[in-house]
Amino acid sequence: MTGGDISCKHCGEQTQDTAYSVSPIGSIYRLEMKSPGLYRCQKTGIKFLVKGSVVIEYKLDSWSDHLKHISGNPYEILGPLFNIQTRGEPNAVSAVYLPHYLCLKVFNEDLSQIKCAHFRDGNMTLESPAQIEPYYITLENPTFSCLGPLLSFRKKKIPIHGSIFIYFRILCKGDPYEEYKIHLYVLPCSTNAEETLDKKNKKFGFQRIRKPEHTDPVYTKIRYLITGHPGVLAHPKTLKFDSERYQFTELRLKDKDVDTYLSVSEETSEDTVWDAHLTQGDIKDVAQLLSSLTIREAPDGAIGESSVRVQRQQSCLPTTNVTFLSSSRACPLPDHFVDRHREALIQRTSNISPVLDNLLSQRLLTREQYDTLRGIRPHQELMRQLYVYMTMWGHSDKEKFYQALQMYNEPLIRDLGNKDTVKL
C-alpha cells in the first residue's frame, strides 16, 4: 500500500496526487522542495503545500510514548503521529495534510471533536483542523512539532478503514511434522504498516501473500472472528483492533492440497468485513520462493535467535540478511503441557509478573515484547498476547516457560498435572 492507494465504498477513492518516493535515512524522512506546489510522501501519505524552497524532515513517533503522560487519556487515535521540522524560508509551508483512517462517511458524531494534537516539551495542545475530509485533516499555516489526528473523546466504538495482511511460512519441510502457518493481521489503513510488518515477518522466515487488503469499515473496541475452511485451525480465534500493537492470529492449514477460504467477521453480529480465497497456486508460489533459500546457521553457542545469512540459490539474485529462529525452535513436537492447557493457563495464571521477568532473563522475550505485556490488563489478555509470541517457540522454549510457571504458580500447575494423570 502506498500513500495514495486507500479506497472505501463509503468515502470513495483517495485523491491521486503526484507522489514522491522518499527513502528514510534511519528513521528520518527528508523532502527537499525547490518550487511551489503540493508534495505527497509515497511512504507515509503526508502532504505539504509549499510556497517556495524549503526542506522538511519528519519521522513517525509513538502515540503511547506521549499519551502515557496525559491523565485519564480520554482520546482515540485516528492516524500516524509525525515529528516534523522545517529548514529554509520561514512560513514556506502554507498547509499540511495529515492522513487519518477514520471512516468519515460512517462516523455519525460531531466533526468538531476531530482535532490535531501538538506535543511540545511534554505538554499537549489541541488544534481544530481547517478542513476535515476523507483520509486527511488539514492545518493551514502550520507550526510544526510532534503532531497527529485524534478524537477528543473516547467513544464505545468508531469506524475506521481497515487492512488485512497475510504472511506465510513452511515449518519442517519434508519432515513428518511439516506444517503450513499463516499470520493474519487486522490493522488500520496506515501506509507505514506494510513496511513494518514485512521487515518483522521476514525476520522469522515469513513471506507476504498478497490479497485485496481493504476491509469494509471495522470498529475499535470490537472483537473480530478469524475463520478458515476447510480444516483451518486459528489461535487466537478473535482479534481486537489496536492502533499501535500489531497483533495477529496464527492459522494452521491441516489440508494443504485444497483451496482455503479465509474470512474476518464481527464476533457478535457475524457480519463479514473481509474475505479471500487462498489457492494452491498462492501457496505453491510462496513455498517455491521459501524453498529457494539456503540457510546457514550461526556459530555454535548462539542463544535465542540465531543470526543467519540467507542466499537465493539463483546466483543472479541478491543476498538477503535475515534473522531466523534457532534450530531448537524449528520444528513443532507433539503437544506440550502449555499447549494442552492453554485455556486454563490463560484464565487462571495470576502471578504472572515474575514469570515475565524469568522469560526476559532467558531471552525468550525481547525487551519490546516484555514492555508490551507489562502494559496489558487484565491478566487474561496479557496471557493471550504471550501465547501469540509463543507461536515462534519450540519445545525446549515451552519447557522453560513451563518451569517458570511451575516456580511461581505451583498450585495451578500441580492441579493441571493431576488432570493429565487422571486422563491417562
Side-chain angles (χ1 to χ4, degrees):
M1 189 195 313
T2 63
D5 293 339
I6 302 173
S7 64
C8 168
K9 67 180 182 181
H10 302 285
C11 298
E13 292 189 4
Q14 185 176 333
T15 303
Q16 296 294 310
D17 304 303
T18 302
Y20 292 83
S21 179
V22 184
S23 297
I25 300 174
S27 61
I28 306 295
Y29 295 86
R30 190 174 191 272
L31 271 174
E32 185 172 353
M33 284 78 76
K34 297 184 178 179
S35 59
L38 180 64
Y39 296 83
R40 174 168 61 86
C41 172
Q42 187 178 37
K43 289 282 188 180
T44 65
I46 193 170
K47 298 192 289 189
F48 300 94
L49 183 62
V50 304
K51 304 173 187 175
S53 178
V54 66
V55 174
I56 304 176
E57 294 182 346
Y58 52 98
K59 67 176 182 176
L60 294 163
D61 250 350
S62 167
W63 278 102
S64 58
D65 288 346
H66 295 277
L67 290 177
K68 67 184 179 183
H69 302 296
I70 307 300
S71 178
N73 183 17
Y75 305 108
E76 195 78 60
I77 298 168
L78 295 181
L81 183 67
F82 291 90
N83 194 332
I84 305 173
Q85 296 180 346
T86 61
R87 297 179 183 178
E89 183 182 327
N91 304 316
V93 180
S94 56
V96 60
Y97 300 79
L98 298 172
H100 72 78
Y101 43 71
L102 177 68
C103 187
L104 207 59
K105 297 299 184 182
V106 176
F107 183 68
N108 56 6
E109 302 289 341
D110 184 0
L111 295 185
S112 67
Q113 302 294 330
I114 299 173
K115 304 290 186 181
C116 176
H118 290 261
F119 295 96
R120 294 186 184 90
D121 302 322
N123 298 312
M124 183 181 77
T125 57
L126 298 180
E127 178 182 352
S128 296
Q131 287 184 299
I132 300 171
E133 302 174 313
Y135 310 113
Y136 285 97
I137 64 170
T138 307
L139 304 182
E140 294 180 347
N141 302 312
T143 57
F144 289 119
S145 62
C146 194
L147 70 171
L150 54 68
L151 203 60
S152 61
F153 69 96
R154 278 194 179 274
K155 194 173 180 289
K156 186 175 182 181
K157 63 177 186 177
I158 63 169
I160 64 169
H161 298 132
S163 295
I164 304 294
F165 291 88
I166 302 172
Y167 293 88
F168 173 86
R169 184 185 179 192
I170 305 175
L171 293 181
C172 304
K173 186 174 178 60
D175 190 277
Y177 298 116
E178 177 180 316
E179 64 180 40
Y180 290 177
K181 283 191 176 182
I182 292 172
H183 287 177
L184 186 149
Y185 296 78
V186 181
L187 300 172
C189 262
S190 175
T191 55
N192 61 301
E194 179 175 13
E195 187 173 6
T196 301
L197 286 177
D198 283 352
K199 289 180 180 178
K200 178 179 178 180
N201 280 277
K202 284 180 181 177
K203 212 166 85 168
F204 296 107
F206 283 83
Q207 288 288 333
R208 175 92 176 272
I209 293 181
R210 294 187 178 274
K211 289 292 178 181
E213 60 203 42
H214 301 307
T215 69
D216 288 348
V218 293
Y219 290 85
T220 60
K221 315 296 192 298
I222 298 293
R223 283 201 168 274
Y224 286 89
L225 181 66
I226 317 299
T227 56
H229 303 284
V232 177
L233 304 178
H235 284 290
K237 293 182 179 179
T238 63
L239 285 178
K240 192 174 182 180
F241 164 79
D242 191 300
S243 58
E244 290 208 294
R245 287 204 301 267
Y246 293 164
Q247 302 185 64
F248 62 87
T249 285
E250 182 176 86
L251 305 168
R252 295 169 57 194
L253 306 187
K254 295 178 68 177
D255 191 342
K256 302 184 284 287
D257 297 320
V258 297
D259 290 354
T260 300
Y261 174 75
L262 302 177
S263 68
V264 178
S265 57
E266 286 192 25
E267 185 179 27
T268 52
S269 69
E270 298 185 357
D271 291 339
T272 300
V273 298
W274 176 90
D275 61 2
H277 281 90
L278 199 62
T279 68
Q280 295 178 63
D282 293 325
I283 293 174
K284 286 179 180 178
D285 280 349
V286 179
Q288 287 174 0
L289 175 62
L290 292 171
S291 296
S292 71
L293 303 177
T294 302
I295 302 175
R296 297 206 300 272
E297 290 287 350
D300 291 341
I303 300 174
E305 293 178 358
S306 301
S307 294
V308 299
R309 197 162 173 80
V310 176
Q311 289 185 307
R312 301 188 187 278
Q313 290 178 348
Q314 295 91 335
S315 59
C316 61
L317 294 176
T319 297
T320 306
N321 289 317
V322 183
T323 302
F324 275 90
L325 298 177
S326 61
S327 57
S328 65
R329 305 185 192 182
C331 297
L333 294 175
D335 279 353
H336 191 279
F337 179 96
V338 297
D339 297 316
R340 291 195 303 275
H341 298 290
R342 180 181 186 276
E343 295 303 322
L345 290 171
I346 287 174
Q347 296 299 325
R348 297 173 59 189
T349 302
S350 56
N351 189 21
I352 188 61
S353 291
V355 174
L356 297 182
D357 294 340
N358 182 284
L359 297 178
L360 179 65
S361 69
Q362 298 194 73
R363 299 176 66 179
L364 294 179
L365 292 176
T366 66
R367 170 57 68 172
E368 180 183 359
Q369 290 171 336
Y370 174 83
D371 291 341
T372 296
L373 291 168
R374 294 283 295 179
I376 298 177
R377 300 289 185 276
H379 71 84
Q380 289 90 347
E381 290 301 316
L382 184 158
M383 286 294 291
R384 286 192 180 94
Q385 182 60 35
L386 178 55
Y387 266 91
V388 171
Y389 294 148
M390 283 173 54
T391 58
M392 306 306 298
W393 294 2
H395 189 275
S396 63
D397 297 325
K398 291 178 181 179
E399 184 64 22
K400 294 174 184 176
F401 176 45
Y402 166 77
Q403 291 169 4
L405 288 170
Q406 191 174 43
M407 187 181 305
Y408 299 109
N409 294 266
E410 194 272 336
L412 170 60
I413 301 304
R414 183 174 63 248
D415 178 56
L416 296 177
N418 289 339
K419 289 180 180 179
D420 280 349
T421 303
V422 170
K423 289 178 182 179
L424 291 174

Short mmCIF file of all heavy atoms in Angstrom, two decimals, residues 269-309:
data_model
loop_
_atom_site.label_atom_id
_atom_site.label_comp_id
_atom_site.label_asym_id
_atom_site.label_seq_id
_atom_site.Cartn_x
_atom_site.Cartn_y
_atom_site.Cartn_z
N SER A 269 -22.09 -9.96 15.61
CA SER A 269 -23.08 -9.90 14.53
C SER A 269 -22.80 -10.89 13.41
O SER A 269 -23.69 -11.19 12.61
CB SER A 269 -23.12 -8.49 13.94
OG SER A 269 -21.91 -8.21 13.23
N GLU A 270 -21.54 -11.37 13.31
CA GLU A 270 -21.09 -12.26 12.24
C GLU A 270 -21.11 -11.60 10.87
O GLU A 270 -21.06 -12.28 9.84
CB GLU A 270 -21.90 -13.57 12.22
CG GLU A 270 -21.76 -14.39 13.49
CD GLU A 270 -22.46 -15.73 13.41
OE1 GLU A 270 -23.11 -16.01 12.38
OE2 GLU A 270 -22.37 -16.50 14.38
N ASP A 271 -21.20 -10.26 10.83
CA ASP A 271 -21.11 -9.54 9.55
C ASP A 271 -19.68 -9.65 9.02
O ASP A 271 -18.71 -9.28 9.71
CB ASP A 271 -21.48 -8.07 9.73
CG ASP A 271 -22.95 -7.87 10.03
OD1 ASP A 271 -23.73 -8.78 9.72
OD2 ASP A 271 -23.31 -6.81 10.59
N THR A 272 -19.52 -10.13 7.80
CA THR A 272 -18.20 -10.30 7.20
C THR A 272 -17.67 -8.96 6.71
O THR A 272 -18.34 -8.24 5.97
CB THR A 272 -18.26 -11.30 6.04
OG1 THR A 272 -18.70 -12.57 6.53
CG2 THR A 272 -16.88 -11.46 5.40
N VAL A 273 -16.46 -8.61 7.14
CA VAL A 273 -15.84 -7.34 6.70
C VAL A 273 -14.73 -7.58 5.68
O VAL A 273 -14.29 -6.63 5.03
CB VAL A 273 -15.28 -6.56 7.91
CG1 VAL A 273 -16.40 -6.19 8.87
CG2 VAL A 273 -14.19 -7.33 8.63
N TRP A 274 -14.29 -8.82 5.54
CA TRP A 274 -13.24 -9.15 4.57
C TRP A 274 -13.24 -10.65 4.35
O TRP A 274 -13.47 -11.44 5.27
CB TRP A 274 -11.88 -8.72 5.10
CG TRP A 274 -10.71 -9.08 4.22
CD1 TRP A 274 -10.16 -8.33 3.23
CD2 TRP A 274 -9.92 -10.29 4.25
NE1 TRP A 274 -9.10 -8.99 2.65
CE2 TRP A 274 -8.94 -10.20 3.26
CE3 TRP A 274 -9.98 -11.45 5.04
CZ2 TRP A 274 -8.00 -11.20 3.03
CZ3 TRP A 274 -9.06 -12.45 4.81
CH2 TRP A 274 -8.08 -12.33 3.81
N ASP A 275 -12.99 -11.06 3.11
CA ASP A 275 -12.77 -12.48 2.83
C ASP A 275 -11.90 -12.64 1.59
O ASP A 275 -11.73 -11.71 0.80
CB ASP A 275 -14.09 -13.26 2.68
CG ASP A 275 -14.96 -12.75 1.54
OD1 ASP A 275 -14.54 -11.81 0.83
OD2 ASP A 275 -16.06 -13.28 1.35
N ALA A 276 -11.32 -13.82 1.46
CA ALA A 276 -10.44 -14.09 0.33
C ALA A 276 -10.25 -15.59 0.20
O ALA A 276 -10.41 -16.34 1.17
CB ALA A 276 -9.08 -13.41 0.51
N HIS A 277 -9.91 -16.03 -1.00
CA HIS A 277 -9.55 -17.42 -1.24
C HIS A 277 -8.04 -17.53 -1.37
O HIS A 277 -7.41 -16.79 -2.14
CB HIS A 277 -10.23 -17.95 -2.50
CG HIS A 277 -11.65 -18.33 -2.29
ND1 HIS A 277 -12.70 -17.43 -2.47
CD2 HIS A 277 -12.23 -19.50 -1.89
CE1 HIS A 277 -13.84 -18.04 -2.21
NE2 HIS A 277 -13.60 -19.29 -1.86
N LEU A 278 -7.49 -18.46 -0.62
CA LEU A 278 -6.07 -18.77 -0.70
C LEU A 278 -5.95 -20.04 -1.53
O LEU A 278 -6.31 -21.12 -1.09
CB LEU A 278 -5.51 -18.98 0.72
CG LEU A 278 -4.01 -18.89 0.91
CD1 LEU A 278 -3.52 -17.50 0.55
CD2 LEU A 278 -3.66 -19.19 2.35
N THR A 279 -5.47 -19.90 -2.75
CA THR A 279 -5.45 -21.03 -3.67
C THR A 279 -4.18 -21.85 -3.51
O THR A 279 -3.19 -21.40 -2.91
CB THR A 279 -5.56 -20.54 -5.12
OG1 THR A 279 -4.35 -19.83 -5.46
CG2 THR A 279 -6.76 -19.61 -5.31
N GLN A 280 -4.19 -23.04 -4.08
CA GLN A 280 -2.98 -23.87 -4.08
C GLN A 280 -1.85 -23.15 -4.81
O GLN A 280 -0.68 -23.27 -4.44
CB GLN A 280 -3.28 -25.20 -4.77
CG GLN A 280 -4.30 -26.06 -4.02
CD GLN A 280 -4.62 -27.34 -4.77
OE1 GLN A 280 -3.74 -28.18 -4.97
NE2 GLN A 280 -5.86 -27.50 -5.18
N GLY A 281 -2.22 -22.37 -5.85
CA GLY A 281 -1.20 -21.62 -6.57
C GLY A 281 -0.53 -20.57 -5.70
O GLY A 281 0.68 -20.37 -5.77
N ASP A 282 -1.34 -19.88 -4.87
CA ASP A 282 -0.77 -18.89 -3.95
C ASP A 282 0.27 -19.54 -3.05
O ASP A 282 1.37 -19.02 -2.86
CB ASP A 282 -1.87 -18.27 -3.07
CG ASP A 282 -2.85 -17.42 -3.85
OD1 ASP A 282 -2.42 -16.76 -4.82
OD2 ASP A 282 -4.04 -17.42 -3.49
N ILE A 283 -0.10 -20.68 -2.49
CA ILE A 283 0.76 -21.38 -1.54
C ILE A 283 2.01 -21.91 -2.23
O ILE A 283 3.13 -21.78 -1.72
CB ILE A 283 -0.01 -22.50 -0.83
CG1 ILE A 283 -1.09 -21.89 0.07
CG2 ILE A 283 0.93 -23.39 -0.01
CD1 ILE A 283 -2.00 -22.91 0.71
N LYS A 284 1.83 -22.49 -3.42
CA LYS A 284 2.99 -23.06 -4.13
C LYS A 284 3.98 -21.98 -4.53
O LYS A 284 5.20 -22.18 -4.46
CB LYS A 284 2.50 -23.84 -5.34
CG LYS A 284 1.85 -25.18 -4.98
CD LYS A 284 1.37 -25.92 -6.21
CE LYS A 284 0.72 -27.25 -5.82
NZ LYS A 284 0.19 -27.97 -7.01
N ASP A 285 3.46 -20.80 -4.95
CA ASP A 285 4.36 -19.71 -5.32
C ASP A 285 5.24 -19.30 -4.15
O ASP A 285 6.47 -19.14 -4.28
CB ASP A 285 3.56 -18.49 -5.80
CG ASP A 285 3.09 -18.64 -7.24
OD1 ASP A 285 3.55 -19.59 -7.91
OD2 ASP A 285 2.26 -17.83 -7.68
N VAL A 286 4.62 -19.12 -2.98
CA VAL A 286 5.39 -18.71 -1.81
C VAL A 286 6.28 -19.84 -1.33
O VAL A 286 7.43 -19.63 -0.93
CB VAL A 286 4.45 -18.24 -0.68
CG1 VAL A 286 5.25 -17.83 0.54
CG2 VAL A 286 3.60 -17.07 -1.16
N ALA A 287 5.78 -21.09 -1.41
CA ALA A 287 6.58 -22.24 -0.99
C ALA A 287 7.83 -22.37 -1.84
O ALA A 287 8.92 -22.67 -1.34
CB ALA A 287 5.74 -23.51 -1.06
N GLN A 288 7.70 -22.14 -3.15
CA GLN A 288 8.86 -22.22 -4.03
C GLN A 288 9.87 -21.12 -3.71
O GLN A 288 11.09 -21.34 -3.73
CB GLN A 288 8.41 -22.12 -5.49
CG GLN A 288 7.72 -23.37 -6.00
CD GLN A 288 7.14 -23.20 -7.39
OE1 GLN A 288 7.26 -22.13 -7.98
NE2 GLN A 288 6.51 -24.24 -7.91
N LEU A 289 9.36 -19.93 -3.38
CA LEU A 289 10.25 -18.84 -3.00
C LEU A 289 11.02 -19.19 -1.73
O LEU A 289 12.23 -19.02 -1.65
CB LEU A 289 9.46 -17.55 -2.80
CG LEU A 289 10.25 -16.35 -2.28
CD1 LEU A 289 11.33 -15.95 -3.26
CD2 LEU A 289 9.31 -15.17 -2.02
N LEU A 290 10.30 -19.72 -0.74
CA LEU A 290 10.95 -20.09 0.51
C LEU A 290 11.92 -21.23 0.31
O LEU A 290 12.98 -21.29 0.95
CB LEU A 290 9.89 -20.47 1.55
CG LEU A 290 8.99 -19.33 2.04
CD1 LEU A 290 7.85 -19.88 2.90
CD2 LEU A 290 9.78 -18.31 2.82
N SER A 291 11.58 -22.16 -0.58
CA SER A 291 12.46 -23.30 -0.82
C SER A 291 13.74 -22.90 -1.53
O SER A 291 14.74 -23.63 -1.51
CB SER A 291 11.73 -24.36 -1.67
OG SER A 291 10.62 -24.87 -0.97
N SER A 292 13.74 -21.72 -2.19
CA SER A 292 14.93 -21.26 -2.91
C SER A 292 15.95 -20.61 -1.98
O SER A 292 16.98 -20.13 -2.42
CB SER A 292 14.54 -20.27 -4.00
OG SER A 292 14.13 -19.04 -3.43
N LEU A 293 15.67 -20.60 -0.68
CA LEU A 293 16.58 -20.01 0.28
C LEU A 293 17.43 -21.09 0.93
O LEU A 293 16.92 -22.12 1.35
CB LEU A 293 15.81 -19.25 1.37
CG LEU A 293 14.87 -18.14 0.87
CD1 LEU A 293 14.13 -17.53 2.05
CD2 LEU A 293 15.65 -17.08 0.13
N THR A 294 18.73 -20.85 1.00
CA THR A 294 19.65 -21.74 1.69
C THR A 294 20.01 -21.12 3.02
O THR A 294 20.49 -19.99 3.07
CB THR A 294 20.93 -21.95 0.86
OG1 THR A 294 20.55 -22.48 -0.41
CG2 THR A 294 21.89 -22.89 1.58
N ILE A 295 19.80 -21.85 4.12
CA ILE A 295 20.03 -21.31 5.45
C ILE A 295 21.31 -21.87 6.02
O ILE A 295 21.53 -23.08 6.03
CB ILE A 295 18.85 -21.67 6.39
CG1 ILE A 295 17.54 -21.13 5.80
CG2 ILE A 295 19.08 -21.15 7.79
CD1 ILE A 295 16.32 -21.53 6.58
N ARG A 296 22.19 -20.96 6.48
CA ARG A 296 23.41 -21.37 7.16
C ARG A 296 23.32 -20.92 8.60
O ARG A 296 23.15 -19.72 8.89
CB ARG A 296 24.64 -20.75 6.48
CG ARG A 296 24.81 -21.21 5.05
CD ARG A 296 26.29 -21.12 4.66
NE ARG A 296 26.80 -19.77 4.76
CZ ARG A 296 26.75 -18.88 3.78
NH1 ARG A 296 26.17 -19.19 2.64
NH2 ARG A 296 27.27 -17.68 3.93
N GLU A 297 23.42 -21.83 9.54
CA GLU A 297 23.27 -21.50 10.95
C GLU A 297 24.42 -20.64 11.44
O GLU A 297 25.53 -20.67 10.91
CB GLU A 297 23.21 -22.78 11.79
CG GLU A 297 21.94 -23.58 11.62
CD GLU A 297 20.74 -22.92 12.28
OE1 GLU A 297 20.92 -21.94 13.02
OE2 GLU A 297 19.62 -23.38 12.06
N ALA A 298 24.15 -19.88 12.48
CA ALA A 298 25.19 -19.10 13.14
C ALA A 298 26.12 -20.04 13.88
O ALA A 298 25.83 -21.22 14.07
CB ALA A 298 24.54 -18.12 14.13
N PRO A 299 27.29 -19.55 14.34
CA PRO A 299 28.22 -20.41 15.07
C PRO A 299 27.60 -21.00 16.31
O PRO A 299 26.64 -20.45 16.86
CB PRO A 299 29.35 -19.43 15.44
CG PRO A 299 29.23 -18.31 14.47
CD PRO A 299 27.79 -18.20 14.13
N ASP A 300 28.12 -22.14 16.74
CA ASP A 300 27.62 -22.79 17.94
C ASP A 300 27.71 -21.84 19.12
O ASP A 300 28.62 -21.02 19.23
CB ASP A 300 28.45 -24.05 18.26
CG ASP A 300 28.20 -25.14 17.22
OD1 ASP A 300 27.17 -25.05 16.53
OD2 ASP A 300 29.05 -26.05 17.10
N GLY A 301 26.75 -22.00 20.02
CA GLY A 301 26.77 -21.18 21.22
C GLY A 301 25.85 -19.98 21.12
O GLY A 301 25.67 -19.25 22.08
N ALA A 302 25.27 -19.72 19.95
CA ALA A 302 24.34 -18.61 19.85
C ALA A 302 23.11 -18.90 20.69
O ALA A 302 22.63 -20.01 20.72
CB ALA A 302 23.93 -18.41 18.38
N ILE A 303 22.62 -17.87 21.36
CA ILE A 303 21.49 -18.05 22.26
C ILE A 303 20.28 -17.38 21.65
O ILE A 303 20.35 -16.31 21.07
CB ILE A 303 21.79 -17.41 23.64
CG1 ILE A 303 23.02 -18.07 24.25
CG2 ILE A 303 20.62 -17.52 24.57
CD1 ILE A 303 23.47 -17.42 25.54
N GLY A 304 19.08 -18.01 21.86
CA GLY A 304 17.84 -17.40 21.40
C GLY A 304 17.78 -17.41 19.89
O GLY A 304 17.92 -18.42 19.24
N GLU A 305 17.59 -16.19 19.31
CA GLU A 305 17.51 -16.08 17.87
C GLU A 305 18.90 -16.19 17.27
O GLU A 305 19.86 -15.61 17.75
CB GLU A 305 16.89 -14.75 17.48
CG GLU A 305 15.42 -14.64 17.88
CD GLU A 305 14.86 -13.30 17.51
OE1 GLU A 305 15.63 -12.46 16.98
OE2 GLU A 305 13.68 -13.08 17.75
N SER A 306 19.01 -16.96 16.21
CA SER A 306 20.30 -17.12 15.54
C SER A 306 20.36 -16.25 14.32
O SER A 306 19.49 -16.31 13.47
CB SER A 306 20.49 -18.59 15.13
OG SER A 306 20.43 -19.43 16.25
N SER A 307 21.38 -15.41 14.22
CA SER A 307 21.56 -14.61 13.02
C SER A 307 22.17 -15.51 11.96
O SER A 307 23.22 -16.09 12.15
CB SER A 307 22.49 -13.43 13.30
OG SER A 307 21.87 -12.56 14.21
N VAL A 308 21.49 -15.62 10.85
CA VAL A 308 21.98 -16.46 9.77
C VAL A 308 21.97 -15.65 8.50
O VAL A 308 21.33 -14.62 8.39
CB VAL A 308 21.09 -17.72 9.58
CG1 VAL A 308 21.10 -18.56 10.84
CG2 VAL A 308 19.68 -17.35 9.20
N ARG A 309 22.68 -16.12 7.53
CA ARG A 309 22.73 -15.46 6.24
C ARG A 309 21.98 -16.33 5.25
O ARG A 309 22.21 -17.53 5.17
CB ARG A 309 24.18 -15.27 5.81
CG ARG A 309 24.35 -14.25 4.69
CD ARG A 309 25.80 -13.81 4.64
NE ARG A 309 26.06 -12.97 3.50
CZ ARG A 309 25.76 -11.70 3.43
NH1 ARG A 309 25.17 -11.12 4.44
NH2 ARG A 309 26.04 -11.00 2.34
#
